[in-house]
C-alpha cells in the first residue's frame, strides 16, 4: 500500500537514488501512525526514499511533552531521520477544540515539510477513521466533500493505510514490539467521534453486518470522485468571477462576488464558490448552515448582513444603489471580508 501510493517499486527490484526524496510521517505515537512509521522506515533501507517524522505536541493532555519526547525516541530507534517535535498553541476560532487541534497540527506539518524539503507527508488514518468521518458528515448534514471523507492522496499529504483496519495497525505494533501511546481522548465520550467509534459503528455492524465499515469507506471513495469534479468546476468559476483584494501578494482581506453571476450558478457550484471565498480569506471550511445564511443574502429579503462565517470572516451584501470604491456606483455584489 505504501509503495503503490508513493510510486515505489513493488517487484522486488530496488532502484537506489543518489538524492532520494524525503518522506515525513506525521506521528502522534498512537498505534496507527507508529505502525505507519515502522512500515515506511523499511523503504528507507532500499535507498529509494529517506524517511523522517514530525511529532506534534498539542499540549492537550497532561505530560504531552513527555509523550512527544518518548515517541520521537522510538521513531529514531526505528531509523527515521530527521525527527522533529513541534509544540503548538491552539487558537480556538469557533470551530471547537478538535478543529483547533487539526488546524494547528497541519500548520506544524506544513512548516516542517517546507523547512526540511519533504516531498510528501504521510498520515496514519485507517479505514475505520474513514467510516467514522462519513458517519459524522451524515450526522452533521454536511455536503459531498465531507461525505467523501479523506483522500488517499491530496496535495502534500498521503494516507497509505486507508485500506487497513485499525486492528491491523495494532497487530503491526505487536509484531514489531512497538509501544504505542493510547490517547485518553479516544475514550472520552464527550467527543462525538468517540461515541461514533464505540457506540454507533458497533451497533450498525451488529444490525447491518460486519462489512458496514468497508461499505462506508467505499461510499466515500465513490463520492470523492464526484466531489473532485465539482471542486474543479467551482475553482474555475471562482477564478472567473471573484475579485480578491489586495491583489499585490499580501494576504487577501476581501473577496467580492457579483450577485447576478453568483445567483446564476448551479447551487452545487454556488455553495462551493462561497466556501472557497471563506477559505481564501483564512477562515475555516464553513458549515452548510452558514453557507445557507450567506446564500440567503442573494434573495434580497431582510438584512443585508453581515453573516458571520467560520473563522474571522463575515459576508454581507452591497446594493446596486451603494457606491463601491472598487467598482463605482450601481453595482450589486456579495462581499466576504476578513476582520483583523
Amino acid at each position: 500500500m505504501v509503495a503503490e501510493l508513493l510510486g515505489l517499486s513493488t517487484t522486488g527490484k530496488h532502484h537506489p537514488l543518489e538524492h532520494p526524496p524525503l518522506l515525513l510521517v506525521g506521528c502522534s505515537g498512537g498505534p496507527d501512525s507508529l505502525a505507519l512509521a515502522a512500515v515506511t522506515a523499511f523503504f528507507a533501507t532500499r535507498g529509494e526514499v529517506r524517511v523522517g517524522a514530525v511529532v506534534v505536541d498539542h499540549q492537550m493532555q497532561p505530560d504531552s511533552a513527555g509523550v512527544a519526547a518518548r515517541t520521537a525516541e522510538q521513531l529514531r530507534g526505528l531509523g527515521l531521520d530527521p525527527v522533529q517535535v513541534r509544540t503548538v498553541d491552539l487558537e480556538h476560532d469557533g470551530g471547537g477544540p478538535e478543529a483547533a487541534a487539526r488546524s494547528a497540527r497541519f500548520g506544524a506539518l506544513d512548516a516542517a515539510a517546507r523547512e526540511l524539503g519533504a516531498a510528501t507527508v504521510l498520515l496514519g488514518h485507517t479505514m475505520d477513521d474513514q467510516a467514522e468521518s462519513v458517519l459524522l458528515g451524515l450526522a452533521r448534514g454536511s455536503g459531498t466533500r465531507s461525505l467523501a471523507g479523506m483522500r488517499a492522496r491530496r496535495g502534500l499529504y498521503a494516507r497509505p493505510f486507508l485500506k487497513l483496519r485499525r486492528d491491523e495497525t495494532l497487530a503491526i505494533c505487536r509484531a514489531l514490539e512497538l509501544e504505542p501511546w493510547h490517547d485518553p481522548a479516544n475514550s472520552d465520550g464527550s467527543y462525538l467521534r468517540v461515541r461514533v467509534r464505540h457506540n454507533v459503528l458497533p451497533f450498525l455492524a451488529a444490525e447491518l453486518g460486519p462489512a458496514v465499515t468497508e461499505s462506508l469507506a467505499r461510499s466515500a471513495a465513490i463520492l470523492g470522485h464526484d466531489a473532485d469534479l465539482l471542486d474543479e468546476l467551482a475553482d474555475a468559476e471562482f477564478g472567473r468571477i471573484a475579485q480578491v483584494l489586495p491583489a499585490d501578494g499580501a494576504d487577501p482581506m476581501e473577496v467580492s462576488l457579483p450577485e447576478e453571476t453568483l445567483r446564476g450558478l448551479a447551487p452545487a457550484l454556488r455553495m462551493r464558490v462561497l466556501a472557497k471565498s471563506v477559505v481564501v480569506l483564512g477562515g475555516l471550511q464553513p458549515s452548510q448552515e452558514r453557507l445557507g445564511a450567506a446564500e440567503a443574502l442573494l434573495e434580497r429579503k431582510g438584512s443585508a448582513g453581515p453573516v458571520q462565517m467560520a473563522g474571522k470572516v463575515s459576508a454581507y451584501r452591497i446594493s446596486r444603489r451603494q457606491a463601491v470604491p472598487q467598482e463605482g456606483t450601481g453595482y450589486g455584489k456579495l462581499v466576504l471580508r476578513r476582520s483583523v
Side-chain angles (χ1 to χ4, degrees), residues 153-167:
R153 181 86 201 215
R154 193 171 185 85
L156 177 68
Y157 294 95
R159 296 176 172 89
F161 277 5
L162 282 183
K163 293 183 179 179
L164 278 189
R165 298 296 304 271
R166 189 170 290 129
D167 287 346

Side-chain angles (χ1 to χ4, degrees), residues 184 191 209:
Y191 292 107

Side-chain angles (χ1 to χ4, degrees), residues 159 183 192 249 255 273 304-305:
R159 296 176 172 89
D183 187 349
L192 180 57
V255 173
V273 168

Side-chain angles (χ1 to χ4, degrees), residues 290-306:
R290 290 292 84 199
L291 287 173
E295 185 185 38
L297 295 174
L298 298 173
E299 298 175 3
R300 296 189 161 275
K301 297 177 181 178
S303 171

Side-chain angles (χ1 to χ4, degrees), residues 8 14-17 20 38-51 78-80:
L8 301 177
H14 304 164
H15 304 282
L17 300 175
V39 170
T40 310
F42 164 76
F43 292 99
T45 65
R46 302 181 357 177
E48 295 177 271
V49 294
R50 294 183 296 125
V51 180
L78 289 169
L80 278 72

Side-chain angles (χ1 to χ4, degrees), residues 25-273:
V25 179
C27 188
S28 66
D32 301 339
S33 58
L34 193 59
L36 177 60
V39 170
T40 310
F42 164 76
F43 292 99
T45 65
R46 302 181 357 177
E48 295 177 271
V49 294
R50 294 183 296 125
V51 180
V54 181
V55 183
V56 180
D57 176 9
H58 299 85
Q59 304 185 85
M60 295 178 68
Q61 301 288 346
D63 191 34
S64 64
V67 170
R70 289 189 291 273
T71 298
E73 182 180 359
Q74 195 165 188
L75 292 169
R76 294 186 183 103
L78 289 169
L80 278 72
D81 181 49
V83 176
Q84 288 189 354
V85 174
R86 289 183 171 250
T87 303
V88 295
D89 295 313
L90 305 191
E91 295 184 8
H92 297 280
D93 204 10
E98 289 179 284
R102 183 181 185 278
S103 177
R105 178 167 60 256
F106 277 97
L109 294 173
D110 286 346
R114 285 194 304 271
E115 291 177 15
L116 298 172
T120 301
V121 177
L122 304 180
L123 304 175
H125 297 108
T126 65
M127 185 185 295
D128 296 85
D129 295 310
Q130 187 76 296
E132 292 163 13
S133 294
V134 174
L135 284 177
L136 286 168
L138 286 169
R140 292 166 176 159
S142 302
T144 309
R145 171 52 65 195
S146 180
L147 297 180
M150 298 169 285
R151 304 310 308 275
R153 181 86 201 215
R154 193 171 185 85
L156 177 68
Y157 294 95
R159 296 176 172 89
F161 277 5
L162 282 183
K163 293 183 179 179
L164 278 189
R165 298 296 304 271
R166 189 170 290 129
D167 287 346
E168 293 176 284
T169 66
L170 286 165
I172 291 172
C173 289
R174 287 194 297 269
L176 298 177
E177 298 183 344
L178 302 175
E179 297 180 7
W181 172 65
H182 296 278
D183 187 349
N186 290 332
S187 301
D188 185 348
S190 65
Y191 292 107
L192 180 57
R193 180 178 287 275
V194 173
R195 298 198 297 276
V196 167
R197 177 175 302 177
H198 295 295
N199 301 331
V200 179
L201 267 171
F203 173 80
L204 290 177
E207 295 296 321
L208 302 178
V212 66
T213 296
E214 287 83 352
S215 297
L216 288 167
R218 186 165 58 251
S219 295
I222 294 168
L223 287 168
H225 296 304
D226 297 344
D228 285 346
L229 175 59
L230 287 169
D231 286 346
E232 182 179 333
L233 294 173
D235 286 347
E237 291 295 344
F238 180 88
R240 180 176 71 88
I241 70 174
Q243 181 182 27
V244 182
L245 299 173
D248 58 359
D251 290 338
M253 296 292 295
E254 181 179 293
V255 173
S256 300
L257 303 166
E259 279 188 49
E260 291 184 6
T261 306
L262 186 61
R263 195 183 293 112
L265 295 179
L269 297 181
R270 182 165 60 246
M271 297 299 248
R272 281 170 167 77
V273 168

